[in-house]
Amino acid sequence: HWDLLSAPKFVGLDNYEKLLTRDPLFWQALKVTAIYTLVYVPLDLAGGLALALLVNQKVRGISVFRTFFYLPSVLAGVAFVVLWMWIFNPEAGLINSLLRLVGIQGPRWLADPATALPALLIMSLWGMGRSMIIFLAGLQDIPEPLYEAASMDGAGRWPKFWRITLPLLTPAIFFNLVLSIISTFQTFTSAFVATNGGPLDSTLFFVLYLYRKAFQEFQMGYASAVAYLLFVIRK
């Protein structure tokens, strides 16, 4: 036990016992992060691959489109989140304003427990340019003679994709998979700035919960136990 002000006190495994058996917020944070990971990772991989295939064309000005799709992934975190908070604003936001034009009442997005987590998912997928770049590098590393030989054998686009492109992209897919899982378990900025874990703890991510215990409640020993469990989960 350590509150940063008094001397640390050894309490054995008490922090872990409380964490695993008497702390419902820990399990809520783990649940939110797991749901976010299970939804975000496949969408990020599929979307990044689709964008990479789209910009892997030999057409004039393709570098402009590559820059356009990659740019959102390098924007500053807080500024990026603030922009999306305006987009998701229930009253003056871009999305709900467009929905009202066609007679649809938009949801409350970040203010509603049912839509807050999906809103953060949409916000995060805007930066899938990171995985796109890695997939693009993998696509450009595939030898062109393989496609030429397949064409001579009468293979169409889908057979080429399933039998040449996808198998040879396996290293890039695995690399993006690992990075995506790591990034989802480190999700903090979007939830902290946009919702601060709310409403009703519907966006309480694992690292945000760790931050609360360490730097808001000053339970450093307890936060360290959370950090070690995060380490074990990621391994």
Side-chain angles (χ1 to χ4, degrees), residues 7-186:
K9 178 183 177 182
F10 182 72
V11 293
L13 297 176
D14 285 357
N15 286 325
Y16 294 96
E17 186 272 331
K18 178 183 177 182
L19 190 65
L20 296 173
T21 62
R22 294 183 283 123
D23 189 351
L25 282 182
F26 166 76
W27 294 105
Q28 173 65 13
L30 186 60
K31 174 186 173 183
V32 169
T33 307
I35 293 174
Y36 182 83
T37 300
L38 290 174
V39 177
Y40 172 83
V41 172
L43 291 178
D44 180 61
L45 293 177
L49 180 55
L51 287 178
L53 291 169
L54 182 65
V55 299
N56 191 37
Q57 309 295 323
K58 296 179 180 179
V59 297
R60 190 172 183 178
I62 193 64
S63 59
V64 176
F65 290 98
R66 291 173 181 172
T67 304
F68 176 79
F69 287 124
Y70 179 69
L71 191 59
S73 64
V74 297
L75 292 177
V78 174
F80 180 78
V81 175
V82 170
L83 172 64
W84 275 97
M85 288 175 65
W86 168 74
I87 293 175
F88 284 128
N89 187 286
E91 302 300 328
L94 178 62
I95 296 179
N96 282 7
S97 297
L98 293 175
L99 290 175
R100 278 193 292 269
L101 292 177
V102 295
I104 300 176
Q105 180 62 40
R108 297 173 61 223
W109 294 112
L110 297 172
D112 188 341
T115 56
L117 188 59
L120 292 184
L121 276 166
I122 296 172
M123 186 188 305
S124 300
L125 289 172
W126 188 254
M128 66 176 61
R130 175 193 55 79
S131 59
M132 178 203 74
I133 287 295
I134 297 173
F135 280 131
L136 181 61
L139 287 172
Q140 295 186 347
D141 197 45
I142 298 175
E144 191 64 31
L146 293 177
Y147 293 110
E148 296 174 357
S151 297
M152 293 178 64
D153 289 337
R157 290 185 178 181
W158 279 109
K160 289 179 184 178
F161 176 77
W162 288 110
R163 297 184 179 276
I164 298 176
T165 304
L166 207 57
L168 292 179
L169 276 181
T170 302
I173 294 173
F174 180 73
F175 184 74
N176 271 332
L177 175 65
V178 172
L179 285 185
S180 295
I181 293 176
I182 291 174
S183 67
T184 54
F185 272 90
Q186 291 180 338

Side-chain angles (χ1 to χ4, degrees), residues 26 29-30 33 185 204-210 226 229-230 233:
F26 166 76
L30 186 60
T33 307
F185 272 90
L204 180 61
F205 285 89
F206 208 97
V207 177
L208 178 57
Y209 176 71
L210 191 157
V226 176
L229 286 178
L230 176 60
I233 292 171

Side-chain angles (χ1 to χ4, degrees), residues 1-5 15 19 23 188 192 204-228 230:
H1 175 76
W2 185 36
D3 59 5
L4 293 178
L5 300 176
N15 286 325
L19 190 65
D23 189 351
F188 174 78
F192 178 70
L204 180 61
F205 285 89
F206 208 97
V207 177
L208 178 57
Y209 176 71
L210 191 157
Y211 169 82
R212 284 183 178 179
K213 289 298 178 182
F215 301 107
Q216 292 182 345
E217 301 177 16
F218 300 107
Q219 299 181 28
M220 284 297 173
Y222 199 75
S224 298
V226 176
Y228 274 113
L230 176 60

